[in-house]
Amino acid sequence: MKILKITGLLLFVAGFFVFNASFFWADYRLTENAVKKSIHDEQKQALFLTEASAILDRPVSSNFEFIHYVSEIFETINEKQLTKYAITEDELDRLAKLSEATFSIANVDSVFRTSNETSSFKNKVFKDFGGSLESRTFSSPEELHTELKNVSAKVRDYAIINRAGFDRYAQKDIKYSLAKASAESPVRNNPLLYLLLTFGLCIIGAALYILPKIKESKGIKNNNIFFHPMKNVGWLGILTGTWLIVFYVILYFFPEYMTNWIIMVDPISEMLNGHEAGRFFLYGFIYTLCILVMGVRMIIHYRHSKYQIFRTLSVMFFQTAFAFLIPEFLIRLNKPYFDFKNIWPLDYSFFFDFRLDQLRESGALGIFMLGWGIALIIIAVPVFVYFFGKRWYCSWVCGCGGLAETLGDPYRQLSDKSLKAWKIERWMVHGVLAFAIVMTAAVLYTYWTKSSWFLIVDSYSLREVYGSFIGAAFAGVIGTGFYPLMGNRVWCRFGCPLAAYLGLIQRFKSRFRITTNGGQCISCGNCSTYCEMGIDVRWYAQRGQNIVRSSCVGCGVCSAVCPRGVLNLEVKDEEGRFGKPILIGNNNAKLDV
Amino acid sequence: MVIHPVFNLTMKHIVIIGNGISGVTAARHIRKNSDYQITIISSETRHFFSRTALMYVYMGHLKFEHTKPYEDFFWKKNRIDLVFDHVVKVNAERQQVDLKSGNTLHYDALVIASGSRSNKFGWPGQDLVGVQGLYSYNDLVLMEGNTKAIKHAVLVGGGLIGIEMAEMLLTRGIRVTFLVREPEFWSSVLPMEEARLITNHIRSHHVDLKLTTELREIISDHEGKVKAVKTEKNEIIECQFVGLAVGVSPNIEFLSDSGIRTNNGVLVDSYLQTNIPNVYAIGDCVERTYQLPGRKNIEQVWYTGRMMGEVVAQTICGTPSKYEPGPWFNSAKFLDIEYQTYGTVSNVLSPAEDDFYWEHHGQKKAIHFVWNKDSKKFLGVNTFGIRLRHEYFDRWLRQKKDIQFVIAHLQEANFDPEFFERHENEIANAFYQKYPSFKAA
């Protein structure tokens, strides 16, 4: 048994090592084809090819070097375009001289003639950015000159690189696409072999490590958790957390470096949806594997409890079918990518213009999807929370919850139980909910009115800020990266706006509560310690009070770890839900203390 | 005749000796009902922790701080002063306690909640290095040191602390030999059927359980450390640790010259008052001078300590209240098997009682009912691996329901989590098979 475990561990470490090594294991040879595939504008293509001649068809030995070269090319092009298209002092003077006290935009045509390409470009952008000066009267030539300079500055900042060069969004996409198309690696030559040497070894290793536990007796086995370097923020936990954080930062912000990993899952992606893999296909693939493998561990660990077994099977099913396979098949069928169990505002882009347009353009299925998504928000959430508590979603269906309950289970004891943490949690999670609502309202306002200015903010910046700070940094980098540092529900507890919404209903209108068993509590603290949401369960249990908390995801682990059978998740009549504390067994005591 | 204590209305300072569940419960309830100055003295730990959870700290389920039911700011916020010191003497006449630090505290009312200490029965070698009981935080620290890198431990005494120590040692990969005087584990309390179930379960965890075996002496090596034990059967068992888990007794030595009457424990009346007015005692250290039907005069259980704390607070705050616990209840966990009991189930049936025992084949679940033969009145239940609702059994016992009612309503009293396998029908069928007359009725 011990040998199996050690073998498993070694295999896992080997697979993990190959996976990490393969990140670096490629040469990059830039070809004309790759450039043509990645840059669609022909002029820009040509510009790029001219500047790239130095590395064209020559192997570069690492992703860092390759991306560095490509970045330099972009910079060179951008600088050249800035010089080429910048409006000169001289041109401004001429323009000023032509103008009287009242400015006329027609004067632009005299300074920038449309006969040559450069001047024609300047003509257009000046009109775009200086249009508001038309017919304005200036008290002095200096004032006019200042205004003209402002226009010239705007042109420099917003127009030249966007139109004639490569802005940061375009750079991001092209870098990724070029890196993926240019990689020459053992992984590219034999993706299936590497799939086996990485994920394959890890899965087999994990299985060998996990499965022997089935021979131990059933029941709670939390032995030595707080002595374990992985589970008590020891060196292994810190290392794991760091790795996860780095992984997420690369995934969300620097995907161009991880193309070798993505190439590995190309065959699977092609098999499922008919296209080569993108970064989020890789992510979904890893995510699903983690839930499945660690789900098996979860089931073995809690196999004395049918509640835990069913709940874990449920999250494994919803992740595999709803989050992973069905959306991929939809793409294969040329339908919109759609995760039928993802609910706004967790799915914060549900009401974004491109998604609404895509659904509207997809016929009856698209309209059904739109209706389904809205029905989940306004019908399913309140109704199901009323009857079952928010657990129906958070610990039975949700993907984030699914990962937290499987991959994250070994870290549940690390959540902060202090009163202070609870205060911070309430401000944060409801703050994010408010942010999500305002951001979505702004986006919809823009969608209908075509005006990007919503009250006091620009809806595009608002959604960008939400996307990178909440969607990527909070939900991803912190949400999962902090598992080994702050427990497995950091996102769900402090950040998830859907959890906040579900929680409000659970707190005020639901049949769900955790009941306590008379006077049997011995205040041992197992329930509070193993509550992943950081609820001080014992506080209620030791005074015989129902636990009615908006954050409770109903994982049932407090009940499972209680050595005295004190806690139970129950749904029953609302009456008496907010009962006064009562400890049974003593005739002469007033107990509302 | 009961004479109600007379209260001094200027009473200000309540001193509580001991920060266990009893003392702390008293303090919390006094604070809720009054503005009195409250001081808790303890030399064990600065802050209240759950004694029953010490085992989980050793096993790595919890850190010590997790065993504290209240965050450290709680005490100041609730104006409960904590003094980390040891009471050496109580001077009842001058209403003061003398502390080890040399300080003296004056009190207007004193609550003694000093708990227990582990029993030692004068075995040769019982004070050797590596021999200890498990009751206090200090014992836990000691055990951590005593069991470092050892291979084999011997436990003496087949009760709840013994089985806890066995479970603790197993998590460190230490082999355990368990000496139990009784013919089955804890059969001084549990009926034979249950005792056998637990005995088998302990053995399935590879504990070398030696029944009807008593300790004769503990043998030292040349450094004064334990090397082996010798049993009454003259068997010598090599070991590097001996756990003495042969019960606890009231921790009352410091009261010897105080004028407060003691026997095995501090003697109290039904208001938990000692022979001296305004001096009360609660919890493990108490010996009741009055009888409660079916109950011992010294009860060293978490719940009784808590209830005494609740009651004494009422009395101190001007509502004299008698300590009248409701129907007995208790719970424990034997390795993987949870145990609860409600009412009275003795290890040996009295001639006036009848019983029904059901055990699941394959899973470690059992339930045992006892009732009065003539009146059919339900008297008590032991349950293993099935959780039952305290509220329901408490009500049924108070309402003196008969056994048929309990069997018929067992389903409602189930407290197992959702989706757990239910056995009520199976239990009822087996019950009616054994006692067909109840079915007709």
Side-chain angles (χ1 to χ4, degrees):
Chain A
M1 197 161 125
K2 204 154 195 185
I3 292 172
L4 276 183
K5 265 184 93 167
I6 291 168
T7 315
L9 196 61
L10 289 175
L11 287 178
F12 181 88
V13 170
F16 188 63
F17 175 80
V18 176
F19 182 74
N20 284 309
S22 70
F23 180 86
F24 304 96
W25 238 344
D27 285 342
Y28 295 81
R29 191 192 299 269
L30 189 67
T31 62
E32 204 175 320
N33 263 344
V35 174
K36 286 188 171 153
K37 201 178 141 200
S38 309
I39 304 173
H40 303 296
D41 183 301
E42 278 181 20
Q43 272 185 344
K44 292 186 183 179
Q45 231 177 57
L47 272 174
F48 191 91
L49 282 170
T50 319
E51 295 299 333
S53 59
I55 58 160
L56 208 60
D57 293 319
R58 269 185 223 155
V60 174
S61 63
S62 84
N63 39 2
F64 296 99
E65 215 179 323
F66 180 76
I67 304 291
H68 177 73
Y69 282 137
V70 175
S71 303
E72 276 190 340
I73 293 170
F74 285 135
E75 258 171 55
T76 316
I77 294 172
N78 284 345
E79 266 169 41
K80 282 191 177 170
Q81 298 298 75
L82 276 175
T83 325
K84 184 176 172 194
Y85 294 115
I87 294 164
T88 60
E89 225 20 64
D90 180 46
E91 284 163 339
L92 286 182
D93 284 345
R94 279 161 57 201
L95 198 52
K97 271 182 204 153
L98 281 175
S99 307
E100 305 296 325
T102 307
F103 181 80
S104 163
I105 199 82
N107 293 337
V108 171
D109 291 330
S110 324
V111 178
F112 305 113
R113 301 183 184 280
T114 49
S115 52
N116 86 39
E117 193 264 338
T118 312
S119 179
S120 157
F121 181 91
K122 290 185 183 178
N123 182 311
K124 181 157 182 357
V125 292
F126 202 95
K127 282 182 181 167
D128 287 353
F129 284 83
S132 64
L133 296 182
E134 170 67 9
S135 309
R136 264 180 65 185
T137 308
F138 297 94
S139 53
S140 69
E142 285 74 32
E143 200 192 331
L144 170 64
H145 203 263
T146 315
E147 284 298 326
L148 291 175
K149 276 205 91 145
N150 280 344
V151 175
S152 141
K154 275 189 193 157
V155 165
R156 186 189 63 224
D157 293 345
Y158 299 113
I160 298 174
I161 289 176
N162 280 16
R163 297 185 193 178
F166 297 89
D167 65 29
R168 63 192 168 98
Y169 298 106
Q171 284 190 28
K172 200 120 224 129
D173 290 344
I174 296 166
K175 275 183 201 166
Y176 168 78
S177 169
L178 283 178
K180 189 159 181 230
S182 309
E184 291 182 339
S185 66
V187 176
R188 163 145 280 159
N189 299 337
N190 207 339
L192 286 174
L193 174 71
Y194 278 87
L195 209 55
L196 200 70
L197 285 177
T198 55
F199 295 105
L201 282 186
C202 284
I203 293 170
I204 296 167
L208 289 179
Y209 188 81
I210 290 164
L211 293 175
K213 288 189 182 174
I214 212 156
K215 291 187 93 177
E216 289 175 12
S217 66
K218 287 185 192 180
I220 292 299
K221 297 284 179 301
N222 287 334
N223 300 336
N224 304 318
I225 280 187
F226 280 99
F227 310 136
H228 199 289
M230 180 64 122
K231 300 171 188 172
N232 187 28
V233 204
W235 64 271
L236 198 50
I238 291 171
L239 215 60
T240 308
T242 311
W243 188 90
L244 284 169
I245 289 168
V246 171
F247 175 82
Y248 273 91
V249 169
I250 296 173
L251 173 74
Y252 281 114
F253 303 104
F254 305 100
E256 61 270 22
Y257 292 94
M258 61 190 281
T259 50
N260 222 20
W261 285 343
I262 298 169
I263 289 166
M264 213 183 296
V265 291
D266 270 341
I268 297 176
S269 178
E270 271 153 24
M271 192 178 76
L272 290 173
N273 65 31
H275 302 277
E276 61 172 272
R279 56 174 158 156
F280 286 110
F281 180 86
L282 171 74
Y283 182 49
F285 177 74
I286 297 177
Y287 201 103
T288 308
L289 279 182
C290 286
I291 289 188
L292 290 177
V293 172
M294 290 300 278
V296 170
R297 175 203 162 273
M298 180 81 184
I299 288 173
I300 292 175
H301 190 68
Y302 292 98
R303 68 191 184 283
H304 63 292
S305 166
K306 285 222 170 101
Y307 183 77
Q308 298 302 337
I309 293 174
F310 290 160
R311 197 170 65 77
T312 308
L313 287 172
S314 173
V315 293
M316 289 162 79
F317 166 75
F318 278 103
Q319 174 60 31
T320 314
F322 279 60
F324 188 61
L325 293 178
I326 293 174
E328 300 303 335
F329 291 148
L330 283 169
I331 289 176
R332 157 152 295 217
L333 299 171
N334 242 333
K335 304 291 181 206
Y337 177 99
F338 199 80
D339 177 351
F340 282 91
K341 60 147 186 59
N342 207 354
I343 306 179
W344 178 91
L346 172 60
D347 181 10
Y348 64 91
S349 65
F350 185 78
F351 293 106
F352 283 9
D353 47 5
F354 60 90
R355 287 188 62 184
L356 291 178
D357 287 340
Q358 190 191 25
L359 293 182
R360 283 171 53 182
E361 285 156 12
S362 304
L365 180 67
I367 298 302
F368 170 75
M369 286 168 168
L370 190 60
W372 173 268
I374 293 171
L376 285 179
I377 303 164
I378 58 177
I379 301 172
V381 166
V383 170
F384 287 151
V385 174
Y386 176 73
F387 284 107
F388 306 113
K390 86 193 236 189
R391 58 187 174 148
W392 80 268
Y393 193 73
C394 295
S395 65
W396 283 74
V397 171
C398 178
C400 304
L403 193 70
E405 295 292 345
T406 50
L407 183 70
D409 179 70
Y411 309 108
R412 57 172 56 250
Q413 65 282 353
L414 301 178
S415 61
D416 190 338
K417 278 72 179 187
S418 67
L419 200 60
K420 204 171 146 197
W422 184 20
K423 276 184 189 154
I424 295 171
E425 163 198 321
R426 281 177 293 176
W427 278 105
M428 273 183 104
V429 78
H430 295 116
V432 173
L433 175 61
F435 187 9
I437 291 171
V438 170
M439 182 273 292
T440 304
V443 164
L444 282 175
Y445 176 80
T446 303
Y447 187 67
W448 278 312
T449 63
K450 305 293 170 211
S451 153
S452 70
W453 202 252
F454 175 74
L455 302 176
I456 48 163
V457 282
D458 171 45
S459 76
Y460 288 98
S461 341
L462 202 59
R463 85 184 203 184
E464 197 196 327
V465 168
Y466 190 96
S468 47
F469 283 90
I470 307 294
F474 202 160
V477 180
I478 295 174
T480 308
F482 277 43
Y483 275 11
L485 310 174
M486 284 176 66
N488 54 334
R489 285 277 192 177
V490 175
W491 161 245
C492 314
R493 183 182 175 193
F494 294 100
C496 177
L498 179 58
Y501 169 36
L502 290 152
L504 284 170
I505 297 171
Q506 170 160 287
R507 173 66 180 72
F508 295 107
K509 194 71 192 167
S510 172
R511 294 159 62 88
F512 174 76
R513 84 285 318 255
I514 301 176
T515 52
T516 58
N517 199 6
Q520 290 276 25
C521 177
I522 51 166
S523 302
C524 69
N526 275 292
C527 51
S528 295
T529 304
Y530 288 91
C531 176
E532 55 190 356
M533 294 304 281
I535 299 172
D536 190 359
V537 184
R538 165 174 56 193
W539 174 269
Y540 305 89
Q542 67 191 359
R543 61 212 297 261
Q545 192 175 22
N546 285 345
I547 295 130
V548 181
R549 280 279 289 266
S550 58
S551 66
C552 173
V553 293
C555 70
V557 168
C558 57
S559 162
V561 297
C562 177
R564 305 297 175 108
V566 174
L567 298 156
N568 202 7
L569 279 55
E570 294 196 70
V571 279
K572 41 186 181 185
D573 277 352
E574 278 184 83
E575 195 173 322
R577 187 165 174 253
F578 295 96
K580 280 197 165 182
I582 170 115
L583 288 170
I584 291 166
N586 199 357
N587 293 354
N588 286 329
K590 292 177 192 159
L591 291 161
D592 53 340
V593 173
Chain B
M1 183 185 157
V2 177
I3 301 161
H4 287 228
V6 179
F7 290 92
N8 176 353
L9 292 175
T10 61
M11 179 194 281
K12 278 281 185 291
H13 190 196
I14 319 295
V15 170
I16 299 169
I17 304 174
N19 69 349
I21 179 65
S22 314
V24 161
T25 305
R28 283 177 45 241
H29 284 250
I30 292 169
R31 173 50 68 241
K32 279 286 165 187
N33 291 311
S34 78
D35 267 330
Y36 299 148
Q37 186 192 345
I38 304 169
T39 304
I40 304 181
I41 309 166
S42 169
S43 58
E44 188 182 12
T45 52
R46 276 180 200 282
H47 299 102
F48 170 46
F49 70 95
S50 173
R51 192 170 300 293
T52 48
L54 285 178
M55 64 181 291
Y56 299 113
V57 178
Y58 184 90
M59 299 201 296
H61 293 208
L62 307 176
K63 289 200 270 194
F64 175 69
E65 68 215 49
H66 294 132
T67 68
K68 292 183 194 170
Y70 304 98
E71 285 186 66
D72 291 351
F73 69 78
F74 176 89
W75 309 103
K76 196 166 180 194
K77 189 181 162 222
N78 287 285
R79 289 173 292 128
I80 296 171
D81 300 333
L82 304 179
V83 172
F84 188 51
D85 207 333
H86 189 77
V87 176
V88 284
K89 200 183 158 189
V90 173
N91 190 330
E93 225 163 84
R94 295 168 63 173
Q95 290 189 277
Q96 66 182 40
V97 291
D98 298 341
L99 304 176
K100 200 174 178 183
S101 62
N103 293 340
T104 292
L105 279 176
H106 179 269
Y107 62 80
D108 296 298
L110 180 68
V111 180
I112 301 163
S114 53
S116 311
R117 50 179 47 195
S118 303
N119 286 339
K120 288 182 173 181
F121 293 131
W123 291 292
Q126 66 180 17
D127 295 320
L128 290 173
V129 176
V131 182
Q132 67 166 104
L134 179 65
Y135 177 83
S136 67
Y137 175 73
N138 275 344
D139 291 336
L140 176 76
V141 176
L142 196 61
M143 187 164 165
E144 196 56 65
N146 279 340
T147 56
K148 275 258 140 67
I150 67 161
K151 293 230 151 53
H152 194 188
V154 169
L155 300 176
V156 183
L160 296 179
I161 295 179
I163 184 80
E164 279 181 11
M165 287 179 102
E167 190 175 354
M168 291 160 76
L169 293 162
L170 289 176
T171 66
R172 300 283 176 99
I174 296 165
R175 266 190 309 127
V176 176
T177 299
F178 200 171
L179 310 185
V180 172
R181 187 179 55 183
E182 290 77 22
E184 296 288 349
F185 179 79
W186 216 30
S187 56
S188 54
V189 173
L190 295 176
M192 249 343 157
E193 294 94 330
E194 289 101 304
R196 211 165 282 138
L197 175 80
I198 301 301
T199 297
N200 291 336
H201 183 59
I202 294 171
R203 287 190 167 141
S204 79
H205 277 262
H206 313 291
V207 172
D208 180 16
L209 185 57
K210 291 184 185 296
L211 299 168
T212 56
T213 306
E214 288 184 67
L215 176 67
R216 171 166 292 167
E217 70 168 292
I218 303 166
I219 302 162
S220 170
D221 68 2
H222 55 275
E223 286 173 331
K225 282 190 198 162
V226 54
K227 182 176 85 174
V229 298
K230 189 194 261 183
T231 69
E232 289 285 1
K233 296 167 182 167
N234 279 328
E235 187 185 357
I236 289 183
I237 305 162
E238 279 188 32
C239 62
Q240 300 82 44
F241 176 81
V242 174
L244 297 178
V246 286
V248 293
S249 356
N251 173 30
I252 52 169
E253 247 170 54
F254 67 103
L255 295 174
S256 51
D257 303 322
S258 63
I260 298 168
R261 271 181 59 220
T262 62
N263 179 34
N264 287 324
V266 184
L267 294 166
V268 297
D269 63 17
S270 57
Y271 291 88
L272 302 170
Q273 189 167 237
T274 63
N275 59 312
I276 294 171
N278 293 332
V279 176
Y280 304 87
I282 56 176
D284 277 17
C285 65
V286 159
E287 180 173 349
R288 276 186 280 103
T289 52
Y290 62 103
Q291 298 297 313
L292 285 172
R295 307 188 56 147
K296 290 185 224 146
N297 288 344
I298 301 179
E299 288 179 336
Q300 287 137 330
V301 183
W302 176 272
Y303 312 112
T304 52
R306 194 197 71 219
M307 288 186 228
M308 288 184 187
E310 289 161 3
V311 170
V312 85
Q314 300 291 324
T315 303
I316 288 173
C317 294
T319 314
S321 305
K322 287 186 184 181
Y323 173 58
E324 287 176 339
W328 172 256
F329 67 97
N330 200 3
S331 61
K333 193 171 179 187
F334 305 101
L335 299 161
D336 303 315
I337 302 181
E338 283 175 26
Y339 154 72
Q340 295 177 340
T341 185
Y342 301 104
T344 312
V345 179
S346 314
N347 60 336
V348 181
L349 279 192
S350 86
E353 292 169 346
D354 233 337
D355 74 327
F356 171 69
Y357 177 79
W358 172 90
E359 192 177 313
H360 188 280
H361 294 286
Q363 294 175 32
K364 285 159 180 172
K365 293 180 177 182
I367 195 161
H368 200 162
F369 301 94
V370 175
W371 63 92
N372 184 288
K373 236 182 221 170
D374 300 327
S375 67
K376 316 291 183 220
K377 193 182 85 174
F378 168 65
L379 297 175
V381 62
N382 278 347
T383 174
F384 297 81
I386 299 175
R387 294 176 174 179
L388 296 177
R389 282 178 203 273
H390 186 183
E391 188 191 345
Y392 282 56
F393 277 93
D394 187 74
R395 194 191 310 147
W396 295 344
L397 285 161
R398 285 170 195 268
Q399 293 173 346
K400 305 194 193 317
K401 295 287 187 196
D402 59 32
I403 180 66
Q404 288 150 284
F405 179 92
V406 172
I407 297 286
H409 291 82
L410 195 56
Q411 217 146 31
E412 299 159 32
N414 182 290
F415 198 67
D416 276 335
E418 293 149 302
F419 307 119
F420 270 48
E421 204 180 326
R422 303 288 290 265
H423 304 287
E424 289 85 6
N425 288 335
E426 217 178 313
I427 293 166
N429 288 340
F431 173 79
Y432 292 129
Q433 208 158 30
K434 190 174 173 196
Y435 296 99
S437 61
F438 282 114
K439 197 165 193 179

